[in-house]
Amino acid sequence: MMPTGKLILDNSLDSLKACAKLLQQNELVAVPTETVYGLAANALSEKAARKIFSVKGRPLIDPLITHFKDADAAFSHVHTNTDAEVLASAFWPGPLTLVMEKQPIIPDLITAGLSSAAIRVPRQAIMLALLQEIDFPLAAPSANPFGYVSPTRARHVAQTLGQKIAAILDGGPCQHGIESTILDLREPKTPKILRPGPISVDQIESILGRKIYSAQNSAPKEQAQVSPGQLRKHYSPHTKIKIVAHGQLEFALKTGEAIVANQKPSVAGKNHVYWLSEDGALETIAKNFFDLIQKLDRMHYSRMLIEAAPEKDIGIAINDRLRRAAASY
Ligand code: TXA
Ligand code: MG
């Protein structure tokens, strides 16, 4: 455990060194990324990685993403190909995860026995500095109990997993607030989106110069479970969620309900009315989404009525998370 007894470590060189040491000792450290906070362990140590599954309550059949300091380090752990290299130079460091055939050096525990691994180079500055400080990559799923809402602030991690981990490196609020886009590159002819995220299908298609396969516009129940961890119910608060179509919110509140609009509404100031952005900017909605849901979840409403985002750009990823958060089974 932390030698200082302090759980949340500030964004400083001393904290970075302390976290590097804990990771070298096979401890778990929650780390900031530009998407969400991750629960990190040495990806090359089965012993360390096993702790991730037990602390999260995550089934061993759900594989982890491995984070590297740069593209060279990442590609030396998988069987690489031209598409991957082109995408890496366009989007790394950044919120794109690539699924590729792995090399034996990545333990089977990390990939849940699959022959493929999910890899990415994150962009958050202190996370990158940490990866440069240590001489191994970091396995890191989102730092939330399995099935619960993802953390986008250090305090979210402290509130849910604080008792069970060695330290939380505080990098401030996550820039995107939604997990990385996952792209399956195992079949070179047919790259597939497994999870929509901050990097859009259009952006990937324009770099590759061709169409890619994406199941993202179909509702999760119709969607085949393409990524092992992409369960229909996921990211769920304890409070029930009802989704309201974009632009269709009515501010007639029933007792016990909270209303969440995309944009500051004309009735702002009315009790139990909340909004995800002042002006409807999708980037801001994404950034505040998991934070506001967690705040409201702690206020014990009987139900949250949440307005869907427009189905474009990162709005596609927001709506994916919203549908899963609202799924009742
Ligand atoms: O933005 C992110 O991706 C964050 C930060 C911490 O990097 N991480 C994250 O990890 O969202 P997690 O574990 O919550 O979600 C990882 C997803 C899971 O749905 C898992 O099934 C999928 O990645 N995945 C991992 N390895 C895979 C593989 N070999 N094939 C297909 N899907 C894989
Ligand atoms: Mg997760």
Side-chain angles (χ1 to χ4, degrees):
M1 285 283 132
M2 267 312 285
T4 61
K6 224 173 115 195
L7 179 65
I8 300 188
L9 303 183
D10 64 352
N11 185 339
S12 71
L13 192 59
D14 280 353
S15 304
L16 193 143
K17 300 252 182 210
C19 291
K21 196 161 168 211
L22 287 166
L23 290 163
Q24 270 145 6
Q25 294 164 346
N26 287 336
E27 295 288 349
L28 300 186
V29 175
V31 292
T33 82
E34 72 279 23
T35 57
V36 300
Y37 276 74
L39 182 60
N42 180 350
L44 304 183
S45 158
E46 270 218 29
K47 186 175 168 225
R50 194 171 288 280
K51 292 184 187 170
I52 295 178
F53 290 92
S54 70
V55 162
K56 272 194 67 122
R58 180 174 176 120
L60 290 166
I61 53 164
D62 192 354
L64 306 176
I65 297 177
T66 303
H67 300 69
F68 297 87
K69 65 177 176 189
D70 57 31
D72 283 348
F75 290 142
S76 68
H77 289 70
V78 294
H79 295 278
T80 184
N81 59 50
T82 316
D83 283 347
E85 280 158 27
V86 168
L87 290 168
S89 56
F91 299 117
W92 282 355
L96 178 67
T97 295
L98 301 177
V99 171
M100 304 177 71
E101 287 303 315
K102 78 178 188 81
Q103 299 280 5
I105 184 170
I106 300 186
D108 290 338
L109 181 77
I110 302 276
T111 62
L114 299 173
S115 62
S116 58
I119 59 171
R120 87 177 185 99
V121 178
R123 191 174 60 230
Q124 215 277 353
I126 194 165
M127 172 66 170
L128 265 185
L130 178 62
L131 284 164
Q132 284 155 6
E133 179 74 20
I134 54 183
D135 56 3
F136 46 83
L138 292 175
S142 50
N144 51 288
F146 182 70
Y148 193 64
V149 186
S150 301
T152 56
R153 308 279 193 275
R155 83 179 125 74
H156 297 159
V157 185
Q159 281 158 357
T160 55
L161 300 179
Q163 307 292 320
K164 301 179 173 175
I165 60 179
I168 303 168
L169 182 57
D170 190 352
C174 298
Q175 184 199 338
H176 296 296
I178 295 275
E179 300 85 345
S180 62
T181 304
I182 304 183
L183 184 68
D184 183 351
L185 282 181
R186 282 172 308 161
E187 285 292 328
K189 289 208 182 101
T190 52
K192 282 190 199 68
I193 295 279
L194 301 183
R195 179 177 73 184
I199 307 274
S200 69
V201 172
D202 290 351
Q203 283 175 285
I204 294 171
E205 287 178 344
S206 80
I207 294 294
L208 289 182
R210 62 186 204 276
K211 288 271 167 208
I212 60 171
Y213 174 81
S214 151
Q216 67 185 27
N217 286 319
S218 58
K221 69 169 183 283
E222 284 117 43
Q223 194 176 318
Q225 198 191 313
V226 279
S227 193
Q230 283 297 83
L231 305 174
R232 172 160 137 73
K233 178 175 162 65
H234 207 120
Y235 315 105
S236 306
H238 307 296
T239 314
K240 279 196 196 111
I241 291 180
K242 179 177 173 357
I243 303 174
V244 181
H246 183 71
Q248 302 297 309
L249 268 184
E250 285 168 23
F251 295 92
L253 278 158
K254 295 204 186 101
T255 312
E257 285 182 348
I259 288 190
V260 179
N262 279 193
Q263 179 172 352
K264 189 172 181 178
S266 55
V267 295
K270 193 168 163 180
N271 278 343
H272 316 300
V273 171
Y274 304 85
W275 53 95
L276 288 158
S277 73
E278 291 287 314
D279 56 1
L282 283 175
E283 302 293 328
T284 314
I285 294 172
K287 186 169 180 170
N288 293 328
F289 182 73
F290 285 137
D291 183 43
L292 185 57
I293 288 188
Q294 280 174 82
K295 245 181 232 159
L296 298 181
D297 204 24
R298 297 169 71 82
M299 293 168 69
H300 306 293
Y301 282 108
S302 58
R303 193 161 79 147
M304 315 179 200
L305 274 57
I306 305 183
E307 181 185 12
E311 191 72 14
K312 60 169 190 198
D313 305 327
I314 201 172
I316 292 169
I318 297 168
N319 290 338
D320 169 76
R321 306 311 188 268
L322 180 56
R323 282 192 296 264
R324 291 177 207 280
S328 52
Y329 59 92

